[in-house]
Amino acid sequence: MSSLKITERIWQNPRSFSSEEVLRELENLLRSNPDYWLKFTSSGIIVDYKPSRYLKMDISPEEMLGKHLSDGLPEYLVSITLEAIAYLNERKNQVFWKEYQYLHDGEFRHAEVRFVVLYDGYIVSTHRDITERKRLEAAFLESESRFLSMAQNAADSIVIINDDGMIQFFNKAAERTFGYKQEELLGKSVYFIVPPGNNERRYRYLSRYLKNKNRIINGMGRELVAKRKSGDLFPCELSVGEFKTNSGTMLTGIIRDISQRKMQEAEIYQYRNHLEDLVEKQTMDLKIAKNVAEEASYMKSLFLANISHELKTPIHAILSYAELGEEKANSATPEKIQEYFQIIDASGKRLLGLLENLLDLAKLESGKMKYIYEKSCLKDTVKHVISELRAILEKKSVKVIFEETEERWEAEFDYERIEQVVRNILSNALKFVPDHTNIEIKKIEREFIPRKTENYVKGIGLQIRDFGPGIPDEDIDKIFEKFIQSKQVKAGTKGTGLGLSISREIVNDHHGLLYAENHEEGGAVFTMLLPRKREGL
């Protein structure tokens, strides 16, 4: 027995122990080693072995002893062993290592072998079964491949960074979101796509997160601002995960673009905060619509009452004077009979005018009004209307001031319909102007954009100004509407309110403009503007 302390070890002080003890210790080590050992000479003769319960060969070790390796070893080891001997003959201090596959009990297994040269020139090969390790490696590779496939095809952006914040992985969704290719960002700082200047609080959080080795991963998302390759900033949500690798800890960031969600949230917030205003506005709109409908209904009723009165008056006159003429035919003087016929004629013409207005209105509303567009003189049209109204003008002592020039005011229009418009405007003015006043008519020329078109055209038209009371401000936009009359009409001036409405429809059909306004010095001004040519309309 050795006198050394029990705490001392042979391999710390081998010279302090006897050869038998050292050999016994070596034998114990060899037996406890799970590897399969073979010892052979440099010429390839197998001289010793150590079996293993983990690695089984089809040839018994005892059968190998004394044989050349080409006879004693399985074929799959012969070529490896010869390669190792050749290698170690040149590099005696090196280790030759290789993996191989063998078949045992119908199952393919994996092993690795190491060859070393001993001090006495012998060569030892140690064989270790690595089948389980290979299975785990294959499972890991499969798992890694499955992860990469899922990560690459995920709908959200996935970015993997190391502990230093350098990008190690950048999936396809991230490429689409940020506009970079993965190769452009590998090895670059994550702050390249999450700039700290736009995320002061988040930057501090992210910086602390990377520096803190004892961080807690809770998987909760945090909102921050990210940056695309184009320089555009957008809101996103970041969720972080963690996993360990041989090269250190890796952090997985799942980034979701929440621009659309933020817009929707802003709209909902805006809507929620202004819901009361919206309800109030809609209520007000309903009240206005109700008032407009009631006003329209009232105006329509008033119109029907007026038109009824206008129709009854000439009809009663015709019937009354026809009956009176029949009674007085034998006793009345010829002058008196002639007076009766004149009243009947005037009433019939008045009735005919009313009916023609109603028919014109029906045609305009149904789109069946027919026009004959010809090159005509607007000045001649005005002169003809003035001639027709001369009797009324003289009766009211109203003078029409009209430009008399040799120039022709030519445009392409339906002569009779534009004449009707001018007649309606002048007749309307005569209802309101005081006696012994004037009506001014001027030619105007300017470019304008016709209705339902986008381009300017050259126009010619008239401005008709009277010196009456003007139009109430609230009626300026209403006098051209059907069933609606100015307050002067409702105050006592008789009329159906159709003349101006029909006039505007006729001018609109000509792609022209007709509008009214009050003159700053008093009175109303009606402006009619027509295109000089219809080409392109």
Side-chain angles (χ1 to χ4, degrees):
M1 292 289 293
S2 173
S3 61
L4 294 176
K5 296 180 180 179
I6 195 170
T7 56
E8 295 196 38
R9 296 289 182 267
I10 290 177
W11 303 110
Q12 293 173 347
N13 302 291
R15 293 181 182 178
S16 301
F17 293 84
S18 65
S19 300
E20 292 79 6
E21 288 178 308
V22 172
L23 288 173
R24 188 165 53 250
E25 186 73 13
L26 281 171
E27 184 180 0
N28 290 333
L29 285 173
L30 287 173
R31 291 181 183 282
S32 63
N33 192 295
D35 297 339
Y36 187 99
W37 288 36
L38 281 176
K39 180 180 178 182
F40 47 88
T41 65
S42 59
S43 60
I45 302 300
I46 300 173
V47 297
D48 202 357
Y49 70 92
K50 186 189 81 67
S52 170
R53 62 190 180 94
Y54 298 104
L55 191 146
K56 304 291 184 181
M57 293 189 183
D58 294 334
I59 300 174
S60 171
E62 292 85 354
E63 298 177 15
M64 299 180 187
L65 294 176
K67 294 182 179 181
H68 190 271
L69 62 90
S70 59
D71 298 323
L73 291 179
E75 292 183 6
Y76 57 83
L77 283 179
V78 173
S79 61
I80 297 176
T81 305
L82 292 174
E83 182 183 357
I85 291 174
Y87 177 85
L88 293 174
N89 281 336
E90 296 181 3
R91 305 174 182 82
K92 296 184 182 298
N93 296 325
Q94 301 292 322
V95 176
F96 181 85
W97 175 91
K98 203 158 192 176
E99 290 185 1
Y100 65 90
Q101 191 177 27
Y102 68 99
L103 183 65
H104 178 71
D105 290 340
E107 177 189 5
F108 280 101
R109 300 186 67 81
H110 297 270
E112 65 176 10
V113 59
R114 300 175 190 270
F115 295 83
V116 295
V117 180
L118 300 178
Y119 64 92
D120 54 2
Y122 285 98
I123 297 174
V124 173
S125 64
T126 58
H127 301 252
R128 177 172 295 178
D129 188 293
I130 59 172
T131 303
E132 184 62 20
R133 190 180 81 191
K134 283 290 185 181
R135 187 190 67 77
L136 291 174
E137 287 178 356
F140 173 77
L141 289 174
E142 181 182 355
S143 174
E144 184 180 30
S145 176
R146 188 181 299 114
F147 164 77
L148 288 175
S149 176
M150 289 188 296
Q152 283 288 9
N153 296 287
D156 292 326
S157 301
I158 297 179
V159 181
I160 297 177
I161 62 175
N162 60 18
D163 252 355
D164 297 324
M166 300 302 168
I167 297 174
Q168 309 297 308
F169 176 79
F170 203 70
N171 75 340
K172 293 178 181 178
E175 290 181 342
R176 291 192 297 270
T177 300
F178 289 92
Y180 290 101
K181 291 295 183 183
Q182 178 174 252
E183 308 84 66
E184 298 179 76
L185 291 180
L186 291 181
K188 292 188 177 180
S189 171
V190 68
Y191 301 130
F192 202 77
I193 58 174
V194 185
N198 299 304
N199 303 279
E200 285 78 7
R201 291 181 57 197
R202 276 77 173 184
Y203 167 65
R204 291 194 294 271
Y205 154 74
L206 194 56
S207 178
R208 289 196 305 269
Y209 193 83
L210 290 172
K211 292 177 181 178
N212 182 12
K213 303 304 179 184
N214 297 318
R215 52 186 167 245
I216 298 175
I217 305 296
N218 56 21
M220 293 178 62
R222 285 178 176 264
E223 292 185 7
L224 45 81
V225 178
K227 184 179 181 181
R228 305 186 204 276
K229 185 177 182 179
S230 62
D232 295 336
L233 302 175
F234 67 96
C236 66
E237 187 176 73
L238 171 66
S239 300
V240 179
E242 181 180 278
F243 64 96
K244 306 288 184 181
T245 68
N246 292 333
S247 56
T249 301
M250 295 289 178
L251 301 175
T252 302
I254 300 177
I255 301 173
R256 177 170 296 177
D257 186 340
I258 57 173
S259 304
Q260 188 67 26
R261 191 180 80 190
K262 284 294 183 183
M263 289 175 59
Q264 293 172 347
E265 288 176 355
E267 289 176 1
I268 293 173
Y269 178 82
Q270 185 79 5
Y271 184 81
R272 183 185 63 192
N273 284 274
H274 294 280
L275 183 58
E276 185 175 343
D277 295 339
L278 288 172
V279 171
E280 184 177 351
K281 182 179 180 301
Q282 290 179 354
T283 303
M284 183 59 67
D285 290 343
L286 288 173
K287 289 180 179 179
I288 293 173
K290 177 176 176 290
N291 292 336
V292 169
E294 290 176 349
E295 177 74 8
S297 177
Y298 169 75
M299 289 301 175
K300 185 176 181 179
S301 299
L302 186 60
F303 164 77
L304 291 174
N306 285 339
I307 198 70
S308 174
H309 174 76
E310 292 291 328
L311 289 171
K312 285 180 180 179
T313 300
I315 290 174
H316 285 162
I318 292 171
L319 293 177
S320 298
Y321 280 97
E323 183 180 351
L324 186 61
E326 186 180 1
E327 292 178 0
K328 303 289 185 178
N330 296 325
S331 59
T333 62
E335 292 79 8
K336 203 66 175 176
I337 295 298
Q338 184 179 8
E339 182 184 346
Y340 295 160
F341 278 117
Q342 288 174 346
I343 293 174
I344 291 172
D345 179 68
S347 298
K349 289 178 179 177
R350 182 180 176 188
L351 180 61
L352 180 61
L354 290 170
L355 293 175
E356 285 178 347
N357 276 344
L358 291 173
L359 289 173
D360 285 345
L361 180 62
K363 288 179 183 179
L364 288 166
E365 288 187 341
S366 63
K368 294 182 179 180
M369 178 71 79
K370 294 182 179 180
Y371 298 95
I372 301 174
Y373 295 103
E374 296 177 331
K375 185 178 288 186
S376 304
C377 178
L378 198 56
K379 181 170 63 175
D380 293 344
T381 306
V382 175
K383 290 169 68 175
H384 189 266
V385 173
I386 293 174
S387 178
E388 285 183 351
L389 299 176
R390 189 171 303 281
I392 302 175
L393 292 168
E394 291 177 352
K395 185 178 180 179
K396 291 178 66 71
S397 297
V398 173
K399 182 180 180 181
V400 177
I401 301 174
F402 179 56
E403 294 182 73
E404 287 287 348
T405 61
E406 295 182 0
E407 178 189 4
R408 285 179 59 82
W409 302 353
E410 286 189 347
E412 294 179 12
F413 57 88
D414 185 306
Y415 185 88
E416 289 188 4
R417 291 303 173 187
I418 295 302
E419 184 181 69
Q420 181 181 354
V421 172
V422 177
R423 185 186 301 113
N424 285 341
I425 295 173
L426 287 177
S427 299
N428 187 74
L430 287 170
K431 291 179 183 178
F432 300 104
V433 296
D435 295 348
H436 308 288
T437 55
N438 298 332
I439 295 177
E440 294 179 353
I441 301 178
K442 293 182 180 180
K443 179 189 73 171
I444 57 171
E445 290 184 271
R446 67 166 181 256
E447 290 187 344
F448 71 101
I449 300 177
R451 292 177 68 251
K452 300 182 180 179
T453 62
E454 297 179 356
N455 300 319
Y456 280 91
V457 299
K458 292 182 179 179
I460 185 171
L462 304 172
Q463 275 191 340
I464 303 174
R465 179 196 173 189
D466 62 53
F467 289 82
I471 306 169
D473 292 339
E474 64 270 24
D475 289 345
I476 286 181
D477 295 329
K478 296 180 180 180
I479 58 174
F480 293 102
E481 297 179 17
K482 304 175 187 68
F483 313 127
I484 297 192
Q485 300 168 322
S486 176
K487 288 184 176 180
Q488 281 89 349
V489 175
K490 289 185 277 187
T493 305
K494 293 185 178 179
T496 61
L498 287 178
L500 292 180
S501 176
I502 292 171
S503 298
R504 171 169 276 185
E505 292 291 340
I506 291 173
V507 174
N508 286 346
D509 288 348
H510 279 71
H511 295 278
L513 299 177
L514 177 61
Y515 58 91
E517 55 192 338
N518 286 316
H519 196 279
E520 58 184 7
E521 296 179 2
V525 180
F526 283 79
T527 300
M528 180 185 72
L529 200 59
L530 300 174
R532 278 190 175 272
K533 296 182 180 180
R534 295 193 54 78
E535 183 180 358
L537 297 177

